[in-house]
Amino acid sequence: MKKILLLTFGLIQTLYYSQTQDLASLASGEHLGMNALFDEKDNLYGYVSLYSYGKLGDHSKKFEYVILDKNLNPIANKEFEGDVTAGGYLGYIDFRKKVILRPSSLDYSMVKMKELFTPRSMEIDLATNTIQQKTYYDYDNGVFKEINQPKNWKEARKENKEEKKEKGYNYYSTVFEIKEGGFLALEFNDYGKYVSNNALIKFDNNKNEIWRYKYNTSGDKKNSEKINLIDKNEKYIYFILEKKNSDTKSFSLLVLDMQTGKEIAAKAITGLSDDTLDNITSFSSVTRNLDNDKTFDDKIVILGRNYENKLGVGFARLIIDKNTFEIDTKKINYIPDLSSYIPKIDKLGYVEKSYHLQPRDVFFLKDGSVGILLEKYKLDFNTGAGKTTDLVYVFTDKDFKVKGAKIFDKEKSLSTSDYLFSQYLNDGNDVVFFFRDYQKDKETKQKSWKLFINTLINGNFKQEIVPISEKDSYAVIPYVGKEGYILLQEYNQKEKFNKIRLERLNY
């Protein structure tokens, strides 16, 4: 059996062998995939690898999970029964330190469309290595009800139609457990073209109501209020409150006391456009949603797009002081702030040959500076496929002023993105990020995939290149590793060869 030759002389100089694991030998089922697990502080905990054994009955399938720690040591595994509609699962760790397996896809071949329902998440207790269906609650006008079986779409649509006919609106609510203790619920009445009578409700661990914060009580087609959650802790809950009166909007920071629900602060947010503030809590790009905020001990930092006249013209940063509730807003526009660093850039972020700078990642460093990683992207309207070229790292100072930009040359690729992932280094002071490139060898003229490892330490960039191209039907996939490492997965489905290994970065 041939293996891809990764450990060439050049690679040995770049990466240092650490530890390996054979995923194919950990379970006998069909390997569905794996993903990294992170704790509450976004530190890598380990990995979860999923396996399928096929259909058990009309409503269930047999799966198996294997949990690995960040050094690739197996620490837990168990077979379990999942919904027949589940095509696979992705794992994450919640605030209770339980591993939640969330359905990642639907298996339409296993069920008739009229019976289709969303498969349920599973919950793993690592202390006892037990798994059960995750408990969810429905909250309806003061009553908690445990959800055992999700309704299929046909039943839900029928009930909504009957309720709308009877009341003139549909009552919607959602409830979730919080790490600060107890539950939070949101409820409102949906009239179709507007919503009204919104409330945020806090409950204790026994589901007794502690307080209720009402807003948008007179919502109609012209007037409305909505809140976007920014952050929460044991003392406070932070929101951006948006008020709309006809065509006029206003935005403010709303801070509620976690224990009493009373308003602690309500301060106007100025300096940014309505469209900017309306969208700042989410930051999406082609193929991905970016993690665009970070909470420090003394502040909350959020980064989003800056809009002027409804057009995206750059980026905006919003900082909330957690002690004084003071608000600081800053913005960077493509023109003039980036024109001296990125050739041929226009006011909307387009560069040469109609490529657009699409955000791929955001870095909030400990010194207050911000890094924005962009990729040149455009859509081929003839084929519907994306094209990408260079990556651009824009770095600012603590006052959100551009200090410079570094362009990482990359071959044109017929993909939506060649960017992979990143991690913070040295207690959040530095960063490393990874991308791939399909390059032509100068001597052989043959193309192959290369992995680019880029570290930014003390303001200085360093780059290492690792060959990861498929050879002899063996594919190599990079994954995020523990700090200072990368994980490489090498597999061949036909030969049931599926190995992962940690390699230490050279920085």
Side-chain angles (χ1 to χ4, degrees), residues 317 319 330 332 363 365 367-371 394-404:
R317 187 194 70 176
I319 294 181
K330 295 284 193 306
I332 289 172
F363 307 103
L365 300 181
D367 63 2
S369 63
V370 175
V394 175
F395 44 99
T396 79
D397 62 14
K398 62 183 179 59
D399 296 317
F400 205 54
K401 293 181 179 179
V402 177
K403 291 176 60 178

Side-chain angles (χ1 to χ4, degrees), residues 61 67 119 148 171 178 222 264 327 347 426 482-483:
K61 282 181 185 175
I67 308 293
N148 295 315
Y171 171 85
I178 57 174
K222 292 185 177 182
I264 301 300
I327 304 160
K347 65 179 182 179
N426 303 322
K482 62 183 180 179
E483 182 172 330

Side-chain angles (χ1 to χ4, degrees), residues 4 51 90 105 326 344:
I4 188 168
Y51 303 82
L90 288 174
S105 60
E326 293 299 318
K344 300 181 180 179

Side-chain angles (χ1 to χ4, degrees), residues 208-220:
N208 298 311
E209 183 174 326
I210 300 175
W211 54 258
R212 178 181 294 254
Y213 179 81
K214 295 182 179 181
Y215 63 100
N216 196 39
T217 54
S218 302
D220 55 31

Side-chain angles (χ1 to χ4, degrees), residues 463-476:
Q463 186 178 82
E464 303 284 354
I465 304 174
V466 178
I468 57 167
S469 198
E470 180 179 322
K471 184 177 180 181
D472 297 329
S473 299
Y474 287 84
V476 177

